[in-house]
Amino acid sequence: MKSLYHLMILVVLLGPVKFNECKTTDARQNTVRRFPEGFLFGTATASYQVEGAWNVDGKAENIWDHLTHTHPCDIKDCSNGDIANDSYNQYKRDVEMMRELGLDFYRFSLSWTRILPTSFVDKINEAGVNYYNNLIDEMLKYNIQPMVTLYHWDMPQKLQDLGGWNNPHIVDWYGDYARTVFELFGDRVKNWITMNEPREICYQGYGDVTMAPRLNIKGVADYMCAKNLLLAHARAYHIYNDEFRETQNGTIGITISAGFSEPASESEEDKVAAEEAALFGWGIYAQPIFSETGDFPSILKEKVAAKSAEQGFLRSRLPEFTPEEVEYVRGTSDFFGLNHYSSGYTFRNESVLGIFESPSSDDDLGAGSYVLEEWETSASSWLKVVPWGFYKLLVKIKDDYNNPPVFITENGFSTLGGLEDDGRISYYRKYLDAMLDAIAEGCDVRVYTAWSLMDNFEWMQGYTERFGLYEVDYEDPARTRTPRKSAFVYKEIVRSRALDWSYQPDTDVMTIDDGH
């Protein structure tokens, strides 16, 4: 799922703003750029978005099942993931699509309640385990490596009833789940992602109402979620590191969503606001893991504590890590998994005073953001095409966190459907070009993952926004998958290991390269 970086866009007239020249130029588009030796390409999906079979073969209810069944029209088109792409039954076609594209790997997520229907390890669902075994084995048959996400937003409803990420016992429950899947699949899975997009889980699902479970407890539940989620991530990392790494010889990390916050002007106030926006938006999750000191960012702790005191709270709404917990979380990722889609401008002046709900993390930050109307847009209101932001973000990660290995685990563009998707092609080319610029600056980017392999259930937007390289016909019971023009272009990028702006695909037939 995409990072809703501009879920709330403040369109403000600020007078002159600093424009950034896009790294991609017309001259560049006449060249062919090569990707580094050993660079890997893949695509991604997530369990609830594609699998369907929501109550089949012993699977139990998760928070998205619960939301879409109890409040169906909270979803834009009143849809759900009950059938979705029917990947539970059509996994062989999914692998065939991976073969058509020539992918090095495929990133997918596991459904907690398909494997552990009681949410706990007292019962392992054999049918669910068989499904994932079949998918993994089918991929490996064709030398396509699995990259597996343990948690992509589908909390068991039973655990949500117990508080979900706000219950500190979730650290144990999640750790038990992680150990189970390492035991079940770790002999073949060599790349693990513990969590997908903590910000969307906590800020949107616990602080706001734009993701399940839609708690809407701003400035409290989202911060509690952040601490417990980071501890649970660390628990999974340590379990893998201590019990499985030596025999399974894999890697494990976390995926964080981030856009780039560009100062709206050269003023010191806007520069500080942009840095703080990054720390509140994604640094709250990255800093405890990737910084040398660990812990939540100091400015975050200071601002939330000060606001909490003003508001009459007896202690900060941001839970503290103990010194032992700081060390437990620090360094617990073999790579920086990055989901990136868009960027924008950040500012701070009197116009933002008092406009945010209080308490809330937005109010704690006290900064505004906006995008430019003239920027190319997608079918998603929040997703503007800003490739220079991708470049700057990658350089920032390099500079701030001692140049960790970066896996781009999602990047993509939405349309309203149709096989001719030149906007998506343009987006991929511009963002890959910006990524190559960052690599040339020394950024250690090793993996690129297109979101997504095929159209899927896009959470609160249902099936109204399409991100797939393959179009899915949801009117057809067979859920027919058809390659878009972008699929042919991406296939050529993967095949040639090069970015060639002049390439024009023959879209008559998508074939499998037997040499893969």
Side-chain angles (χ1 to χ4, degrees), residues 307 349-358 363 366:
K307 275 281 187 178
N349 57 34
E350 57 271 8
S351 72
V352 302
L353 297 177
I355 68 170
F356 299 109
E357 186 175 338
S358 181
D363 184 59

Side-chain angles (χ1 to χ4, degrees), residues 329-403:
V329 174
R330 188 171 64 91
T332 55
S333 197
D334 297 331
F335 54 85
F336 192 116
L338 174 63
N339 289 358
H340 173 80
Y341 290 86
S342 193
S343 300
Y345 289 104
T346 302
F347 68 96
R348 180 178 286 141
N349 57 34
E350 57 271 8
S351 72
V352 302
L353 297 177
I355 68 170
F356 299 109
E357 186 175 338
S358 181
S360 69
S361 63
D362 291 324
D363 184 59
D364 294 334
L365 169 62
S369 63
Y370 66 96
V371 297
L372 300 183
E373 287 190 12
E374 59 263 37
W375 285 347
E376 182 184 353
T377 192
S378 66
S380 307
S381 60
W382 54 271
L383 204 171
K384 301 287 186 178
V385 181
V386 196
W388 54 259
F390 192 25
Y391 165 80
K392 290 191 172 188
L393 176 63
L394 290 169
V395 172
K396 180 175 178 57
I397 291 170
K398 173 178 76 75
D399 293 344
D400 288 0
Y401 299 123
N402 195 29
N403 201 18

Side-chain angles (χ1 to χ4, degrees), residues 44-163:
T45 61
S47 53
Y48 185 77
Q49 295 182 272
V50 300
E51 284 179 6
W54 81 275
N55 62 350
V56 169
D57 290 344
K59 179 187 169 295
E61 184 184 43
N62 64 45
I63 56 175
W64 282 94
D65 297 321
H66 186 77
L67 170 62
T68 57
H69 295 157
T70 56
H71 298 90
C73 289
D74 284 355
I75 308 302
K76 186 172 183 178
D77 57 0
C78 304
S79 65
N80 56 53
D82 288 4
I83 301 173
N85 296 3
D86 193 33
S87 286
Y88 186 74
N89 297 304
Q90 298 202 46
Y91 70 89
K92 288 190 176 181
R93 171 58 180 143
D94 293 350
V95 175
E96 184 179 53
M97 291 150 58
M98 302 170 208
R99 295 175 63 202
E100 289 170 354
L101 294 171
L103 302 182
D104 299 308
F105 68 91
Y106 174 57
R107 179 188 172 217
F108 63 95
S109 75
L110 304 175
S111 167
W112 189 332
T113 57
R114 196 179 295 286
I115 296 170
L116 301 178
T118 70
S119 309
F120 307 110
V121 295
D122 58 315
K123 181 180 179 182
I124 297 176
N125 182 28
E126 184 177 348
V129 172
N130 286 342
Y131 165 66
Y132 293 117
N133 275 331
N134 289 337
L135 173 60
I136 291 167
D137 292 344
E138 183 76 5
M139 291 167 57
L140 291 174
K141 186 191 304 183
Y142 301 106
N143 199 31
I144 302 165
Q145 295 299 314
M147 180 181 288
V148 176
T149 304
L150 296 178
Y151 184 79
H152 198 128
W153 304 1
D154 48 357
M155 173 71 68
Q157 183 59 39
K158 179 184 290 186
L159 298 189
Q160 189 60 50
D161 292 341
L162 294 172

Side-chain angles (χ1 to χ4, degrees), residues 217-279:
I217 309 176
K218 295 179 173 64
V220 178
D222 44 350
Y223 291 145
M224 293 170 64
C225 170
K227 178 183 177 180
N228 291 332
L229 183 148
L230 284 164
L231 288 171
H233 152 78
R235 176 66 59 84
Y237 176 91
H238 287 296
I239 288 171
Y240 189 81
N241 201 51
D242 297 344
E243 301 176 29
F244 296 95
R245 190 189 295 273
E246 185 175 348
T247 57
Q248 296 184 356
N249 196 31
T251 63
I252 183 168
I254 191 170
T255 278
I256 293 172
S257 61
F260 187 75
S261 300
E262 176 74 10
S265 73
E266 294 289 350
S267 74
E268 190 63 25
E269 192 170 29
D270 283 353
K271 290 179 181 178
V272 170
E275 178 61 24
E276 291 179 357
L279 291 172

Side-chain angles (χ1 to χ4, degrees), residues 443-464:
C443 298
D444 189 10
V445 185
R446 303 182 183 184
V447 164
Y448 180 85
T449 315
W451 182 272
S452 58
L453 174 62
M454 53 188 158
D455 295 337
N456 48 60
F457 178 82
E458 284 298 335
W459 311 110
M460 300 304 290
Q461 302 307 309
Y463 299 100
T464 64

Side-chain angles (χ1 to χ4, degrees), residues 474-516:
Y474 292 103
E475 300 301 316
D476 182 354
R479 297 299 195 264
T480 303
R481 292 101 151 103
T482 306
R484 291 192 168 101
K485 185 177 178 181
S486 59
F488 292 87
V489 172
Y490 192 61
K491 174 177 181 168
E492 178 61 16
I493 291 170
V494 175
R495 185 202 65 79
S496 65
R497 306 284 152 166
L499 181 61
D500 182 355
W501 292 78
S502 65
Y503 173 74
Q504 290 295 323
D506 178 357
T507 59
D508 288 342
V509 180
M510 177 67 86
T511 58
I512 293 173
D513 182 357
D514 291 330
H516 177 66

